[in-house]
PDB file of all heavy atoms in Angstrom:
ATOM      1  N   ARG A 905      -6.952   6.210 -10.892  1.00 92.00           N
ATOM      2  CA  ARG A 905      -7.578   7.545 -10.809  1.00 92.00           C
ATOM      3  C   ARG A 905      -6.573   8.432 -10.110  1.00 92.00           C
ATOM      4  O   ARG A 905      -6.185   8.178  -8.975  1.00 92.00           O
ATOM      5  CB  ARG A 905      -8.888   7.475 -10.051  1.00 92.00           C
ATOM      6  CG  ARG A 905      -9.954   6.685 -10.734  1.00 92.00           C
ATOM      7  CD  ARG A 905     -11.256   6.745  -9.990  1.00 92.00           C
ATOM      8  NE  ARG A 905     -12.231   5.867 -10.596  1.00 92.00           N
ATOM      9  CZ  ARG A 905     -13.425   5.601 -10.086  1.00 92.00           C
ATOM     10  NH1 ARG A 905     -13.775   6.139  -8.945  1.00 92.00           N
ATOM     11  NH2 ARG A 905     -14.228   4.798 -10.713  1.00 92.00           N
ATOM     12  N   LEU A 906      -6.165   9.480 -10.799  1.00 93.00           N
ATOM     13  CA  LEU A 906      -5.171  10.374 -10.248  1.00 93.00           C
ATOM     14  C   LEU A 906      -5.836  11.500  -9.430  1.00 93.00           C
ATOM     15  O   LEU A 906      -6.831  12.060  -9.809  1.00 93.00           O
ATOM     16  CB  LEU A 906      -4.354  11.026 -11.355  1.00 93.00           C
ATOM     17  CG  LEU A 906      -3.454  10.147 -12.180  1.00 93.00           C
ATOM     18  CD1 LEU A 906      -2.700  10.967 -13.200  1.00 93.00           C
ATOM     19  CD2 LEU A 906      -2.490   9.350 -11.326  1.00 93.00           C
ATOM     20  N   ASP A 907      -5.188  11.799  -8.299  1.00 92.00           N
ATOM     21  CA  ASP A 907      -5.518  12.961  -7.496  1.00 92.00           C
ATOM     22  C   ASP A 907      -4.254  13.770  -7.453  1.00 92.00           C
ATOM     23  O   ASP A 907      -3.293  13.438  -6.755  1.00 92.00           O
ATOM     24  CB  ASP A 907      -5.944  12.497  -6.065  1.00 92.00           C
ATOM     25  CG  ASP A 907      -6.299  13.660  -5.192  1.00 92.00           C
ATOM     26  OD1 ASP A 907      -6.627  14.755  -5.682  1.00 92.00           O
ATOM     27  OD2 ASP A 907      -6.288  13.462  -3.947  1.00 92.00           O
ATOM     28  N   ILE A 908      -4.220  14.854  -8.210  1.00 94.00           N
ATOM     29  CA  ILE A 908      -2.978  15.597  -8.446  1.00 94.00           C
ATOM     30  C   ILE A 908      -2.983  16.879  -7.643  1.00 94.00           C
ATOM     31  O   ILE A 908      -3.943  17.669  -7.652  1.00 94.00           O
ATOM     32  CB  ILE A 908      -2.765  15.936  -9.936  1.00 94.00           C
ATOM     33  CG1 ILE A 908      -2.765  14.633 -10.738  1.00 94.00           C
ATOM     34  CG2 ILE A 908      -1.505  16.728 -10.163  1.00 94.00           C
ATOM     35  CD1 ILE A 908      -2.735  14.838 -12.227  1.00 94.00           C
ATOM     36  N   TRP A 909      -1.857  17.080  -6.947  1.00 92.00           N
ATOM     37  CA  TRP A 909      -1.637  18.341  -6.170  1.00 92.00           C
ATOM     38  C   TRP A 909      -0.312  18.939  -6.576  1.00 92.00           C
ATOM     39  O   TRP A 909       0.580  18.211  -6.989  1.00 92.00           O
ATOM     40  CB  TRP A 909      -1.551  17.976  -4.648  1.00 92.00           C
ATOM     41  CG  TRP A 909      -2.803  17.413  -4.119  1.00 92.00           C
ATOM     42  CD1 TRP A 909      -3.205  16.130  -4.157  1.00 92.00           C
ATOM     43  CD2 TRP A 909      -3.811  18.113  -3.404  1.00 92.00           C
ATOM     44  NE1 TRP A 909      -4.421  15.988  -3.556  1.00 92.00           N
ATOM     45  CE2 TRP A 909      -4.808  17.196  -3.072  1.00 92.00           C
ATOM     46  CE3 TRP A 909      -3.964  19.457  -3.048  1.00 92.00           C
ATOM     47  CZ2 TRP A 909      -5.956  17.583  -2.372  1.00 92.00           C
ATOM     48  CZ3 TRP A 909      -5.111  19.821  -2.352  1.00 92.00           C
ATOM     49  CH2 TRP A 909      -6.066  18.884  -2.016  1.00 92.00           C
ATOM     50  N   ASN A 910      -0.224  20.248  -6.447  1.00 94.00           N
ATOM     51  CA  ASN A 910       1.031  20.914  -6.730  1.00 94.00           C
ATOM     52  C   ASN A 910       1.644  21.443  -5.421  1.00 94.00           C
ATOM     53  O   ASN A 910       0.900  21.973  -4.577  1.00 94.00           O
ATOM     54  CB  ASN A 910       0.834  22.101  -7.737  1.00 94.00           C
ATOM     55  CG  ASN A 910       0.443  21.603  -9.079  1.00 94.00           C
ATOM     56  OD1 ASN A 910       0.929  20.590  -9.543  1.00 94.00           O
ATOM     57  ND2 ASN A 910      -0.441  22.315  -9.712  1.00 94.00           N
ATOM     58  N   ASP A 911       2.944  21.256  -5.252  1.00 92.00           N
ATOM     59  CA  ASP A 911       3.650  21.723  -4.051  1.00 92.00           C
ATOM     60  C   ASP A 911       5.034  22.163  -4.507  1.00 92.00           C
ATOM     61  O   ASP A 911       5.943  21.363  -4.724  1.00 92.00           O
ATOM     62  CB  ASP A 911       3.737  20.586  -3.040  1.00 92.00           C
ATOM     63  CG  ASP A 911       4.452  20.982  -1.775  1.00 92.00           C
ATOM     64  OD1 ASP A 911       4.927  22.128  -1.663  1.00 92.00           O
ATOM     65  OD2 ASP A 911       4.522  20.135  -0.867  1.00 92.00           O
ATOM     66  N   ARG A 912       5.214  23.473  -4.608  1.00 90.00           N
ATOM     67  CA  ARG A 912       6.478  24.019  -5.081  1.00 90.00           C
ATOM     68  C   ARG A 912       7.640  23.736  -4.148  1.00 90.00           C
ATOM     69  O   ARG A 912       8.775  23.834  -4.547  1.00 90.00           O
ATOM     70  CB  ARG A 912       6.334  25.510  -5.342  1.00 90.00           C
ATOM     71  CG  ARG A 912       5.429  25.789  -6.516  1.00 90.00           C
ATOM     72  CD  ARG A 912       5.713  27.214  -7.029  1.00 90.00           C
ATOM     73  NE  ARG A 912       4.891  27.432  -8.199  1.00 90.00           N
ATOM     74  CZ  ARG A 912       5.351  27.422  -9.429  1.00 90.00           C
ATOM     75  NH1 ARG A 912       6.615  27.209  -9.662  1.00 90.00           N
ATOM     76  NH2 ARG A 912       4.550  27.691 -10.449  1.00 90.00           N
ATOM     77  N   SER A 913       7.384  23.399  -2.890  1.00 89.00           N
ATOM     78  CA  SER A 913       8.460  23.133  -1.943  1.00 89.00           C
ATOM     79  C   SER A 913       9.220  21.850  -2.332  1.00 89.00           C
ATOM     80  O   SER A 913      10.292  21.606  -1.822  1.00 89.00           O
ATOM     81  CB  SER A 913       7.949  23.014  -0.521  1.00 89.00           C
ATOM     82  OG  SER A 913       7.207  21.834  -0.339  1.00 89.00           O
ATOM     83  N   LEU A 914       8.662  21.067  -3.257  1.00 88.00           N
ATOM     84  CA  LEU A 914       9.379  19.819  -3.704  1.00 88.00           C
ATOM     85  C   LEU A 914      10.526  20.125  -4.617  1.00 88.00           C
ATOM     86  O   LEU A 914      11.308  19.254  -4.940  1.00 88.00           O
ATOM     87  CB  LEU A 914       8.382  18.910  -4.411  1.00 88.00           C
ATOM     88  CG  LEU A 914       7.187  18.383  -3.578  1.00 88.00           C
ATOM     89  CD1 LEU A 914       6.275  17.528  -4.467  1.00 88.00           C
ATOM     90  CD2 LEU A 914       7.665  17.627  -2.353  1.00 88.00           C
ATOM     91  N   ILE A 915      10.615  21.358  -5.078  1.00 89.00           N
ATOM     92  CA  ILE A 915      11.661  21.878  -5.953  1.00 89.00           C
ATOM     93  C   ILE A 915      11.494  21.359  -7.389  1.00 89.00           C
ATOM     94  O   ILE A 915      11.458  22.112  -8.338  1.00 89.00           O
ATOM     95  CB  ILE A 915      13.109  21.576  -5.453  1.00 89.00           C
ATOM     96  CG1 ILE A 915      13.256  22.118  -4.018  1.00 89.00           C
ATOM     97  CG2 ILE A 915      14.129  22.204  -6.358  1.00 89.00           C
ATOM     98  CD1 ILE A 915      14.539  21.667  -3.325  1.00 89.00           C
ATOM     99  N   GLY A 916      11.350  20.059  -7.554  1.00 89.00           N
ATOM    100  CA  GLY A 916      11.159  19.433  -8.868  1.00 89.00           C
ATOM    101  C   GLY A 916      10.777  17.991  -8.694  1.00 89.00           C
ATOM    102  O   GLY A 916      10.916  17.421  -7.603  1.00 89.00           O
ATOM    103  N   GLY A 917      10.240  17.359  -9.735  1.00 90.00           N
ATOM    104  CA  GLY A 917       9.855  15.945  -9.683  1.00 90.00           C
ATOM    105  C   GLY A 917       8.466  15.701  -9.107  1.00 90.00           C
ATOM    106  O   GLY A 917       7.676  16.646  -8.968  1.00 90.00           O
ATOM    107  N   VAL A 918       8.151  14.441  -8.828  1.00 92.00           N
ATOM    108  CA  VAL A 918       6.841  14.046  -8.317  1.00 92.00           C
ATOM    109  C   VAL A 918       6.966  13.065  -7.177  1.00 92.00           C
ATOM    110  O   VAL A 918       7.949  12.306  -7.104  1.00 92.00           O
ATOM    111  CB  VAL A 918       5.940  13.427  -9.425  1.00 92.00           C
ATOM    112  CG1 VAL A 918       5.596  14.445 -10.468  1.00 92.00           C
ATOM    113  CG2 VAL A 918       6.562  12.187 -10.019  1.00 92.00           C
ATOM    114  N   LEU A 919       5.979  13.081  -6.319  1.00 94.00           N
ATOM    115  CA  LEU A 919       5.818  12.123  -5.234  1.00 94.00           C
ATOM    116  C   LEU A 919       4.510  11.391  -5.511  1.00 94.00           C
ATOM    117  O   LEU A 919       3.464  12.022  -5.686  1.00 94.00           O
ATOM    118  CB  LEU A 919       5.752  12.812  -3.887  1.00 94.00           C
ATOM    119  CG  LEU A 919       5.512  11.959  -2.656  1.00 94.00           C
ATOM    120  CD1 LEU A 919       6.725  11.076  -2.398  1.00 94.00           C
ATOM    121  CD2 LEU A 919       5.231  12.809  -1.439  1.00 94.00           C
ATOM    122  N   ILE A 920       4.574  10.041  -5.605  1.00 94.00           N
ATOM    123  CA  ILE A 920       3.405   9.260  -5.945  1.00 94.00           C
ATOM    124  C   ILE A 920       3.082   8.331  -4.788  1.00 94.00           C
ATOM    125  O   ILE A 920       3.944   7.609  -4.272  1.00 94.00           O
ATOM    126  CB  ILE A 920       3.692   8.419  -7.197  1.00 94.00           C
ATOM    127  CG1 ILE A 920       4.022   9.351  -8.383  1.00 94.00           C
ATOM    128  CG2 ILE A 920       2.515   7.510  -7.543  1.00 94.00           C
ATOM    129  CD1 ILE A 920       4.526   8.663  -9.622  1.00 94.00           C
ATOM    130  N   ARG A 921       1.816   8.339  -4.378  1.00 92.00           N
ATOM    131  CA  ARG A 921       1.331   7.427  -3.330  1.00 92.00           C
ATOM    132  C   ARG A 921       0.141   6.625  -3.867  1.00 92.00           C
ATOM    133  O   ARG A 921      -0.888   7.173  -4.232  1.00 92.00           O
ATOM    134  CB  ARG A 921       0.872   8.212  -2.117  1.00 92.00           C
ATOM    135  CG  ARG A 921       1.970   8.836  -1.346  1.00 92.00           C
ATOM    136  CD  ARG A 921       1.463   9.419  -0.022  1.00 92.00           C
ATOM    137  NE  ARG A 921       2.511  10.095   0.696  1.00 92.00           N
ATOM    138  CZ  ARG A 921       2.597  11.392   0.880  1.00 92.00           C
ATOM    139  NH1 ARG A 921       1.635  12.190   0.467  1.00 92.00           N
ATOM    140  NH2 ARG A 921       3.615  11.928   1.522  1.00 92.00           N
ATOM    141  N   ALA A 922       0.303   5.320  -3.857  1.00 88.00           N
ATOM    142  CA  ALA A 922      -0.736   4.376  -4.257  1.00 88.00           C
ATOM    143  C   ALA A 922      -0.918   3.383  -3.140  1.00 88.00           C
ATOM    144  O   ALA A 922      -0.152   2.412  -3.074  1.00 88.00           O
ATOM    145  CB  ALA A 922      -0.380   3.697  -5.564  1.00 88.00           C
ATOM    146  N   GLY A 923      -1.857   3.648  -2.250  1.00 78.00           N
ATOM    147  CA  GLY A 923      -2.027   2.803  -1.082  1.00 78.00           C
ATOM    148  C   GLY A 923      -0.828   2.890  -0.197  1.00 78.00           C
ATOM    149  O   GLY A 923      -0.433   3.969   0.248  1.00 78.00           O
ATOM    150  N   ASP A 924      -0.182   1.757   0.082  1.00 79.00           N
ATOM    151  CA  ASP A 924       1.017   1.758   0.900  1.00 79.00           C
ATOM    152  C   ASP A 924       2.310   1.864   0.083  1.00 79.00           C
ATOM    153  O   ASP A 924       3.399   1.789   0.634  1.00 79.00           O
ATOM    154  CB  ASP A 924       1.050   0.544   1.827  1.00 79.00           C
ATOM    155  CG  ASP A 924       1.070  -0.769   1.051  1.00 79.00           C
ATOM    156  OD1 ASP A 924       0.886  -0.752  -0.205  1.00 79.00           O
ATOM    157  OD2 ASP A 924       1.250  -1.846   1.687  1.00 79.00           O
ATOM    158  N   LYS A 925       2.197   2.053  -1.200  1.00 87.00           N
ATOM    159  CA  LYS A 925       3.364   2.191  -2.083  1.00 87.00           C
ATOM    160  C   LYS A 925       3.658   3.670  -2.273  1.00 87.00           C
ATOM    161  O   LYS A 925       2.757   4.457  -2.573  1.00 87.00           O
ATOM    162  CB  LYS A 925       3.122   1.495  -3.409  1.00 87.00           C
ATOM    163  CG  LYS A 925       2.902   0.006  -3.289  1.00 87.00           C
ATOM    164  CD  LYS A 925       2.548  -0.607  -4.608  1.00 87.00           C
ATOM    165  CE  LYS A 925       2.433  -2.092  -4.460  1.00 87.00           C
ATOM    166  NZ  LYS A 925       1.135  -2.620  -4.778  1.00 87.00           N
TER     167      LYS A 925
END
Side-chain angles (χ1 to χ4, degrees):
R905 295 185 185 171
L906 294 182
D907 180 20
I908 301 174
W909 296 82
N910 293 322
D911 181 357
R912 291 201 178 255
S913 72
L914 299 177
I915 306 169
V918 294
L919 176 69
I920 300 170
R921 289 189 183 112
D924 59 352
K925 298 175 176 119

